[in-house]
């Protein structure tokens, strides 16, 4: 059996402490150990973006990151993107603009869109296209995804803890 | 006391054509939705499959002893555990094989406490193979003396289809011009973002519950049962949310009976879920084919005949792929007015991966040929392709040689709308004139169209749907329907129709459509049928409920029922809009009165279409529809790269129901078609898939998606719900030939073997230049 290592990190604003095998990927830890199934497995080799999460403010493919490397870090998954009154503005925009069909790529797509808007609040459609290049979708043809991102851009919805967004912190931790 | 006045009553507003949000979108956007891939049941074991990893072989020795002894392993199954349990369209498949016929043949399966243990157990299974010579193209398979893949299918012959109409020899003789080409559409695969997954569990009465991604839950039971040797009635199908389907889940694939056989053996629930690599190798493909097509016309541009001789790469087993000629022939006979038709298709077994159904269902391949030949003939008779298409376009009321009755035909409107919106004719001339000028980048514009069934397709004995609609004491509506939701948005359509008919808020409608023990029968999500069929079923059920409610209101209020309507959650008087009683209050009064009644109605809707029949001469769909795509592209003649700058779409949708869902289906359908046209290609060498991952199998990404200019033509289909037609496959069908025709406009080259990858296009341009230089 592989050796297990104890790690501590913050997940969506809450402290987490658990033991993980050295070979375990962050995606498997989230899904199989913590029951956080919002983050999806779709390729396991960093090609599709369905498992996108934020680690210390940057998006990563959680299928490529070892779980032990989460130690001491701040993780945000799709479940951590919330607004006090329900859906985060990015999530709401995806709903309102028809950017969700089967929805399997949606969590990764939303985390990536949130990251892009956080770092470039006035994001243009072309910048959003480039920024979402690593997130594959088989249903929507991306058009409505880009409509959703465009609708939120320029509204300060993802400016850290300042706007309507809680920047990944659970409401009770804000 | 509720006081209502005419002034305060809600005005009559229709929801038809509005933009309705998908009811399941908030949960999907927050990660709350529990897909089948996310599911874990108590006591659940993990199943893993050992694939052959070679295309054609005899199994000489198989030893599972070490695997069985591994702690945590609960069962190991091999071919002998599935012996005789044949399933599939022609009963040529079994869940676990005793002979290898393709790379992904399932040789053994393990159920263990963790996925990791199951994987290690597979490594402990010893198999010795004796490789056999293989067959990797349908031509090779059809040759005399070719290695036989199934002993009971001589000549490697699988399904055969043909139709003839009119005198072909006379039509050929009467043609001034004939185009004659061989097209070789390639293998692609669905790439659902959620990989294939099934969870099976038997109870002690021998009844199987299977959680599956299927998009046809009722016939699925019929197809799964023989693979297990049980009665279809003993199968309960539960459909959790799925990560896409696109036709891939219209059949039973071996991992599903494998999960069930493992569950039976262990007495515990067993989950089998594919990795992406397994998904690429072991899930169905779009059918590869060799299409020899000839089309003729007279000098004035009138079509005289179309003939197609098709050889299909069946792959190792017969799923729905080899049945696509049923649709292929409708395109050959119905894509524009062709008086004489000759169609033959033969599927030949090979040791390649086998094909299932995939959005577009044979029409993707056929239209790639027909729509290019239309463009070629227009060029040969020196006509603007638009004029050539218009000359041969059918009108409402025409009947095709196969007896497809085009009741409401909007092909002419589609052609004119798309051409006008894109300034097609002017640009085409301009780009053609620049074709031979110097310059690395060339612009092109291409027009293509197609026809598809838009009111279901009666390939089964019924094309119907059952619906149950009930209302509770709070005026909340539950629709229990056979219509499956696979991401396409029937949930929004059903919600919209119920709200339209019963005047309740959208959020007061709940849909139950994921359990075959609860919901009534339906054929399945295929043939662009669900909005049409389930839309009609829902509307009929809602109208029955409305009648019952208004009858009760008449009794209670003393107002004649025919003067009453349901709007804004109340019974209103149509004449002045006065709200007379709140709907929930009325329902409670109906329920608790001395002669109590519940609002609970059932409906079975069968569309007015004819069974396909063995001769294929029938009006098999309740509606047909057309779409026209005009693609504008830039070609880098040095690298062969095609950039799609814009696509103009005009599609006959009958009537817009949910505008947002309709747009989404067309956009998404085009994205799949773009991948087919430009980049997606399963590289299968001697039966082995060489690119089983997204790194080397290129889907369209966000930056490659062109701007779309969508035009919806509303032909108002008499049989459709509110006039609507089915819409979801045409977008995938038409885009590739539109690009191919644009490529010709830009460069003068034609690609008969898609995809139009940079390598293929660059080579074609280079060869054309060489030929021109040599000729000069």
């Amino acid at each position: 059996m592989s050796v297990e290592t104890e790690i501590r990190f913050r997940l969506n604003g809450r402290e987490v402490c658990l033991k993980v095998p050295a070979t375990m990927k962050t995606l498997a830890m989230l899904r199989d150990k913590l029951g956080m199934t919002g983050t999806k497995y779709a390729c396991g080799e960093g090609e599709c973006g369905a498992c996108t999460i934020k680690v210390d403010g940057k998006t990563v493919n959680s299928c490529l990151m070892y779980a032990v490397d989460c130690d001491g870090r701040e993780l945000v998954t799709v479940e951590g993107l919330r607004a006090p009154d329900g859906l985060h503005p990015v999530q709401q925009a995806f709903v309102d603009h028809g950017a969700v069909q089967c929805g399997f790529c949606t969590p990764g797509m939303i985390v990536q869109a949130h990251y892009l808007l956080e770092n470039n609040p006035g994001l243009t459609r072309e910048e959003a296209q480039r920024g979402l290049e690593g997130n594959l979708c088989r249903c929507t043809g991306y058009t409505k995804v880009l409509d959703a991102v465009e609708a939120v851009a320029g509204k300060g919805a993802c400016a850290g803890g300042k706007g309507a967004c809680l920047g990944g912190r659970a409401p009770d931790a804000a | 006391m509720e006081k209502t006045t005419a002034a305060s009553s809600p005005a009559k507003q229709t929801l038809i054509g509005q933009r309705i949000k998908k009811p399941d979108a908030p949960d999907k956007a927050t990660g709350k939705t529990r897909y089948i891939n996310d599911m874990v049941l108590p006591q659940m074991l993990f199943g893993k499959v050992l694939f052959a990893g070679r295309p054609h072989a005899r199994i000489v020795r198989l030893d599972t002893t070490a695997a069985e002894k591994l702690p945590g392993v609960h069962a190991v199954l091999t071919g002998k555990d599935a012996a005789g349990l044949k399933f599939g369209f022609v009963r040529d498949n079994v869940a676990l094989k005793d002979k290898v016929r393709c790379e992904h043949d399932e040789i053994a399966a393990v159920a263990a406490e963790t996925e990791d243990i199951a994987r290690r157990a597979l490594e402990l299974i010893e198999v010795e193979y004796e490789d056999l010579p293989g067959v990797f193209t349908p031509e090779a398979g059809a040759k005399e003396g070719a290695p036989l893949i199934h002993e009971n299918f001589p000549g490697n012959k699988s399904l055969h289809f043909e139709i003839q109409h009119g005198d072909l020899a006379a039509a050929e003789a009467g043609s001034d011009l004939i185009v004659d080409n061989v097209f070789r559409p390639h293998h692609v695969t669905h790439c659902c973002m959620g990989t294939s997954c099934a969870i099976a569990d038997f109870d002690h009465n021998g009844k199987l519950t299977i959680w599956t991604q299927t998009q046809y839950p009722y016939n699925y039971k019929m197809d799964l049962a023989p693979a297990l040797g049980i009665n279809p009635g003993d199968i309960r199908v539960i459909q959790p949310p799925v990560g896409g389907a696109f036709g891939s889940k219209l059949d039973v694939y071996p991992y599903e009976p494998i999960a069930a056989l493992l569950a039976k053996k262990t007495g515990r629930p067993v989950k089998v879920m594919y990795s992406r690599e397994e998904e690429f190798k072991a899930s169905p493909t779009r059918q590869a084919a060799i299409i020899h097509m000839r089309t003729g016309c007279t000098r004035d541009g009138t079509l005289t005949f179309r003939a197609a001789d098709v050889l299909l790469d069946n792959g190792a087993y017969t799923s729905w792929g080899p049945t696509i000629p049923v649709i292929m022939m409708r395109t050959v006979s119905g894509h524009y007015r062709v008086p004489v038709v000759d169609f033959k298709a033969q599927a030949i077994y090979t040791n390649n991966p086998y094909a299932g159904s995939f959005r577009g269902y044979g029409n993707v391949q056929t239209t790639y040929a027909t729509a290019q030949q239309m463009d070629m003939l227009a060029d040969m008779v020196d006509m603007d392709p638009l004029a050539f298409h218009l000359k041969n376009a059918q009108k409402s009321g025409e009947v095709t040689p196969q007896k497809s009755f085009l009741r409401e035909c909007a092909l002419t409107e589609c052609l004119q709308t798309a051409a006008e919106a894109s300034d097609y004719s002017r640009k085409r001339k301009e780009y053609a004139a620049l074709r031979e000028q110097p310059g690395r980048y060339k612009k092109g514009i291409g027009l293509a169209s197609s026809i598809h069934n838009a009111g279901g397709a009666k390939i089964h004995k019924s094309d119907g749907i059952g619906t149950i609609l009930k209302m509770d004491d709070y005026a909340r509506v539950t629709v229990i329907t056979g219509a499956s939701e696979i991401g396409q948005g029937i949930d929004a359509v059903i919600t919209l129709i119920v709200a339209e008919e019963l005047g309740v808020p959208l959020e007061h409608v709940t849909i139950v459509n994921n359990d075959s023990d609860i919901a009534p029968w339906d054929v399945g999500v295929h043939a662009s049928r669900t909005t049409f069929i389930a839309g009609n079923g829902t509307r009929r059920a809602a109208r029955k409920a409305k009648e019952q409610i208004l009858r009760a209101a008449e009794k209670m209020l003393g107002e004649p029922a025919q003067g009453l309507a349901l709007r804004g959650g109340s019974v209103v008087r149509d004449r002045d809009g006065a709200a007379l009683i709140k709907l929930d209050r009325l329902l409670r009064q109906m329920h608790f009165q001395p002669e109590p009644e519940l609002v609970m109605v059932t409906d079975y809707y069968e569309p007015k279409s004819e069974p396909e029949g063995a001769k294929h001469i029938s009006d098999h769909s309740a509606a047909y529809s057309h779409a026209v795509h005009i693609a504008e592209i830039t070609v880098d003649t040095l690298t062969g790269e095609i950039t799609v700058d814009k696509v103009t779409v005009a599609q006959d949708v009958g009537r817009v129901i949910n505008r947002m869902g309709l747009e989404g289906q067309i956009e998404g359908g085009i994205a799949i078609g773009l991948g087919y046209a430009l980049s997606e290609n399963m590289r299968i060498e001697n039966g082995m898939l060489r690119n089983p991952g997204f790194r080397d199998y290129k889907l369209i990404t966000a930056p490659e998606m062109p701007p779309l200019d969508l035009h919806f033509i509303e032909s108002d289909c008499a049989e459709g719900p509110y006039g609507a037609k089915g819409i979801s496959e045409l977008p995938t069908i038409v885009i590739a030939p539109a690009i191919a025709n644009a490529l010709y406009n830009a460069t003068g080259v034609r690609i008969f073997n898609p995809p139009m990858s940079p390598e293929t296009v660059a080579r074609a341009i280079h060869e054309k230049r060489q030929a021109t230089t040599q000729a000069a």
Side-chain angles (χ1 to χ4, degrees):
Chain A
M1 287 303 283
S2 55
V3 181
E4 298 220 329
T5 309
E6 184 174 293
I7 55 169
R8 286 170 184 276
F9 57 93
R10 285 175 74 82
L11 175 59
N12 299 331
R14 286 178 190 279
E15 202 71 41
V16 178
C17 175
L18 82 165
K19 282 188 172 176
V20 291
T23 53
M24 181 172 260
K25 297 292 173 59
T26 302
L27 175 62
M29 175 187 75
L30 288 169
R31 291 179 56 81
D32 303 339
K33 283 241 168 193
L34 298 169
M36 303 286 282
T37 53
T39 306
K40 301 300 179 199
Y41 165 86
C43 80
E45 51 184 29
E47 287 290 329
C48 77
C51 67
T52 304
I53 62 167
K54 279 207 287 183
V55 178
D56 288 347
K58 290 197 170 133
T59 46
V60 301
N61 289 310
S62 63
C63 71
L64 294 181
M65 182 181 173
Y66 283 104
V68 288
D69 290 333
C70 293
D71 193 39
R73 296 180 190 261
E74 172 102 35
L75 272 61
V76 178
T77 68
V78 70
E79 291 98 335
L81 297 180
R82 290 186 250 169
D85 52 350
L87 267 62
H88 183 278
V90 177
Q91 293 169 328
Q92 191 63 52
F94 270 61
V95 174
D96 293 345
H97 290 269
V100 181
Q101 287 187 28
C102 92
F104 208 81
C105 73
T106 305
M109 200 73 90
I110 283 178
V111 172
Q112 181 66 12
H114 181 274
Y115 165 79
L116 294 171
L117 288 160
E118 201 172 35
N119 289 280
N120 182 4
L123 192 73
T124 64
R125 196 173 177 96
E126 289 68 32
E127 288 168 334
Q129 272 184 306
R130 281 288 159 210
L132 292 167
E133 188 169 10
N135 292 76
L136 297 178
C137 172
R138 196 54 155 166
C139 293
T140 66
Y142 308 99
T143 307
K144 301 234 173 298
V145 171
L146 296 168
D147 291 348
V149 177
E150 215 177 7
V152 188
K155 292 190 178 154
C158 302
K162 281 170 260 164
C165 163
L166 293 164
R169 296 219 176 134
D172 55 352
Chain B
M1 187 74 196
E2 281 156 348
K3 233 180 131 186
T4 50
T5 63
S8 70
S9 75
K12 188 172 182 178
Q13 277 179 330
T14 182
L15 288 165
I16 303 302
Q18 302 295 310
R19 307 180 75 81
I20 303 300
K21 297 170 202 169
K22 248 175 97 43
D24 62 2
D27 278 359
K28 285 177 170 175
T30 51
K32 196 175 171 63
T33 300
R34 193 179 293 119
Y35 291 83
I36 185 170
N37 310 61
D38 303 327
M39 278 180 62
V40 178
L41 297 176
Q43 292 278 298
M44 190 180 88
L45 299 172
F46 294 85
K48 276 264 154 211
V49 180
L50 181 69
F51 298 102
R54 63 225 306 124
H56 201 195
R58 233 189 303 278
I59 299 168
V60 178
R61 191 178 66 88
L62 179 58
D63 187 349
T64 59
T65 322
E68 281 163 42
K69 283 184 184 159
L70 186 71
V73 170
H74 286 245
V76 183
L77 301 180
T78 64
K80 63 182 188 315
D81 298 290
L85 298 174
K86 295 258 184 188
F87 73 97
F89 199 79
V90 295
R91 295 284 188 273
D92 61 0
N93 208 342
V94 282
L96 291 156
K97 277 73 173 174
D98 53 12
K99 183 199 165 185
V100 179
R101 295 184 182 85
C102 69
E103 183 192 7
H104 69 72
D105 262 0
E106 300 78 6
I107 302 305
V110 170
E113 276 160 28
T114 67
E115 226 181 326
D116 200 38
I117 296 171
R119 200 172 290 122
R120 277 186 286 138
L122 291 187
E123 288 165 12
L124 294 173
I125 296 173
E126 293 173 32
V127 199
E128 209 179 296
Y129 297 99
E130 182 200 332
D131 286 318
L132 299 168
V135 167
F136 304 113
T137 62
E139 297 108 312
K143 271 198 190 124
E144 216 177 294
L148 201 56
I149 295 168
H150 293 271
E151 272 156 25
N152 51 339
F153 288 91
N156 290 318
K157 281 186 178 166
S158 172
L159 305 178
H160 179 84
F161 297 86
E162 59 179 86
I163 52 151
Q164 277 88 34
H165 181 86
D167 185 341
L168 182 63
E172 283 184 73
S175 302
D176 297 317
L177 298 150
I178 294 174
V179 274
D180 183 332
N181 313 99
V182 177
F183 297 84
R184 291 178 171 265
H186 57 310
H187 282 103
V188 295
T189 187
H190 306 70
C191 296
C192 303
M193 294 311 289
T195 57
S196 294
C197 183
I199 305 172
D201 193 19
F202 274 93
D203 70 13
H204 286 285
N205 297 318
K207 186 162 178 174
L208 169 69
T209 299
I210 186 157
W211 289 262
T212 141
Q213 295 159 320
T214 188
Q215 56 191 99
Y216 78 124
Y218 301 92
N219 284 341
Y220 177 84
K221 301 203 296 187
M222 176 181 77
D223 289 349
L224 177 61
L228 303 170
I230 63 176
N231 189 295
D234 290 328
I235 300 174
R236 177 184 183 187
V237 178
I238 298 182
Q239 301 162 272
V242 300
F246 315 109
S248 66
K249 306 303 189 293
L250 268 171
D251 200 355
V252 167
Y253 292 93
Y255 69 91
E256 296 162 299
I258 286 174
L261 291 170
L262 289 168
K264 192 161 196 176
K265 178 97 173 183
T266 59
R268 287 168 62 162
V270 176
K271 177 178 184 175
V272 175
M273 185 176 112
Y274 280 164
S275 69
R276 179 56 59 187
E277 185 178 338
E278 289 171 334
E279 180 77 9
F280 265 105
K281 287 182 175 170
S283 48
T285 72
R286 190 187 290 288
Q287 191 88 37
I290 301 161
I291 302 173
H292 179 191
M293 186 175 282
R294 289 176 301 137
T295 309
C297 72
T298 54
R299 213 166 295 284
D300 73 343
T302 306
L303 290 174
T304 47
F305 78 94
R306 190 182 282 137
D309 201 341
V310 182
L311 210 50
L312 297 164
D313 184 345
N314 193 92
Y317 302 96
T318 303
S319 176
W320 282 88
T323 69
I324 57 170
V326 170
I327 298 301
M328 287 180 135
M329 60 173 72
R330 295 272 166 179
T331 310
V332 168
S333 67
H335 190 199
Y336 295 95
R337 193 184 298 119
V338 257
V340 174
V341 178
D342 188 283
F343 177 92
K344 286 187 204 74
Q346 176 67 52
I348 298 289
Y349 281 110
T350 67
N351 295 109
N352 289 330
Y354 60 99
S357 61
F358 191 172
R359 191 177 193 171
Y361 198 71
N363 205 350
V364 171
Q365 297 92 318
T366 318
T367 296
Y368 192 73
T370 54
Q372 286 200 68
Q373 290 203 332
M374 288 295 288
D375 207 57
M376 293 155 104
L377 284 172
D379 219 40
M380 288 163 78
V381 294
D382 204 19
M383 276 173 85
D384 178 343
L386 173 67
F388 183 72
H389 283 68
L390 285 169
K391 189 177 179 78
N392 292 287
Q394 294 113 326
K395 304 282 190 302
S396 293
E398 284 190 47
V399 178
T400 73
Q402 274 187 273
K403 299 282 179 276
S404 295
F405 178 27
L406 311 180
R407 288 170 195 82
E408 303 88 4
C409 178
L411 177 53
T412 295
E413 293 87 326
C414 288
L415 286 163
Q416 285 166 337
T417 304
E420 199 172 304
S422 60
D423 198 7
Y424 169 77
S425 296
R426 186 189 64 77
K427 285 179 182 168
R428 186 190 147 269
K429 257 192 186 160
E430 184 187 317
Y431 298 153
L434 292 169
R435 193 189 289 159
E436 306 306 333
Q437 300 294 312
R440 175 171 163 180
Y441 298 95
K442 297 287 178 192
K443 286 202 174 295
I445 189 165
L447 180 155
S449 69
S450 195
I451 182 171
H452 204 69
N453 45 273
K458 202 166 279 184
I459 53 167
H460 302 281
K461 286 172 186 160
S462 159
D463 199 16
I465 188 168
T467 308
I468 301 166
L469 185 147
K470 72 184 188 75
M471 295 185 78
D472 71 7
D473 296 338
Y474 313 99
R476 305 295 168 116
V477 185
T478 303
V479 180
I480 306 168
T481 167
S484 302
E485 169 63 35
I486 56 171
Q488 87 279 34
I490 193 59
D491 54 353
V493 168
I494 288 173
T495 302
L496 184 156
I497 290 174
V498 169
E500 172 75 10
E501 292 297 328
L502 298 178
V504 296
L506 293 161
E507 52 278 13
H508 287 190
V509 182
T510 298
I511 298 166
V512 176
N513 61 342
N514 57 0
D515 187 336
S516 68
D517 273 6
I518 297 172
W521 195 82
D522 173 58
V523 171
V525 178
H526 78 133
S528 301
R529 74 185 275 282
T530 309
T531 289
F532 191 99
I533 306 285
N536 270 331
T538 302
R539 184 165 77 153
R540 283 157 53 105
R543 288 192 172 174
K544 286 179 189 174
K546 182 157 69 181
E547 266 176 43
Q548 187 187 348
I549 292 165
L550 294 184
R551 266 201 314 273
E554 177 182 80
K555 227 163 80 183
M556 247 168 249
L557 305 169
E559 294 262 350
Q562 60 268 32
L564 299 174
L566 298 177
R567 285 207 289 277
S570 292
V571 177
V572 301
R573 195 162 47 214
D574 235 355
R575 173 163 48 85
D576 57 1
L580 304 176
I581 185 170
K582 289 272 190 199
L583 189 54
D584 56 341
R585 191 157 162 242
L586 173 68
L587 286 160
R588 283 194 295 273
Q589 289 189 10
M590 288 166 73
H591 187 182
F592 300 117
Q593 67 190 344
E595 285 172 45
E597 57 176 321
L598 284 176
V599 175
M600 188 164 60
V601 301
T602 65
D603 181 73
Y604 188 70
Y605 169 67
E606 183 68 49
K608 288 178 197 153
S609 49
E610 296 167 2
E612 175 70 25
K615 292 201 161 75
H616 309 288
I617 306 293
S618 61
D619 189 21
H620 77 160
S621 181
Y624 303 86
S625 171
H626 290 88
V628 172
H629 287 192
I630 294 181
E632 295 176 58
I633 66 170
T634 304
V635 186
D636 182 339
T637 56
L638 188 66
T639 65
E641 194 179 357
I642 295 174
T643 305
V644 183
D645 302 316
K646 188 184 166 192
V647 181
T648 304
V649 176
Q651 183 166 336
D652 171 13
V653 302
R655 176 80 60 212
V656 180
I657 302 288
N658 178 12
R659 193 169 296 272
M660 196 155 75
L662 170 61
E663 290 170 358
Q665 282 299 300
I666 292 184
E667 291 156 3
I670 286 178
I672 290 180
L674 279 172
Y676 182 80
L678 299 174
S679 61
E680 292 179 41
N681 190 10
M682 296 177 80
R683 292 208 318 271
I684 301 165
E685 293 169 10
N686 291 333
M688 306 285 281
L689 180 65
R690 297 301 182 193
N691 56 337
F694 288 134
R695 191 170 300 145
D696 304 312
Y697 182 97
K698 248 311 255 105
L699 299 188
I700 293 296
T701 61
E704 291 152 330
M705 193 64 194
L708 305 178
D709 181 20
L710 306 183
H711 300 264
F712 303 137
I713 311 298
E714 298 193 301
S715 63
D716 197 11
C717 174
E719 174 76 3
Y722 310 94
K725 291 182 175 181
I727 55 92
S728 78
E729 289 173 284
L730 276 167
T732 303
I733 292 162
V734 186
I735 184 66
I739 293 172
N741 290 341
L743 178 65
Y744 176 77
N745 180 230
T747 64
V749 305
R750 287 212 175 267
I751 304 297
F752 298 103
N753 54 332
M756 292 170 271
S757 64
E759 190 189 358
T760 302
V761 171
R763 182 175 295 132
I765 291 171
H766 180 71
E767 281 167 6
K768 179 178 170 269
R769 278 186 186 153
Q770 272 189 327
T772 318
T773 316
Q774 277 165 10

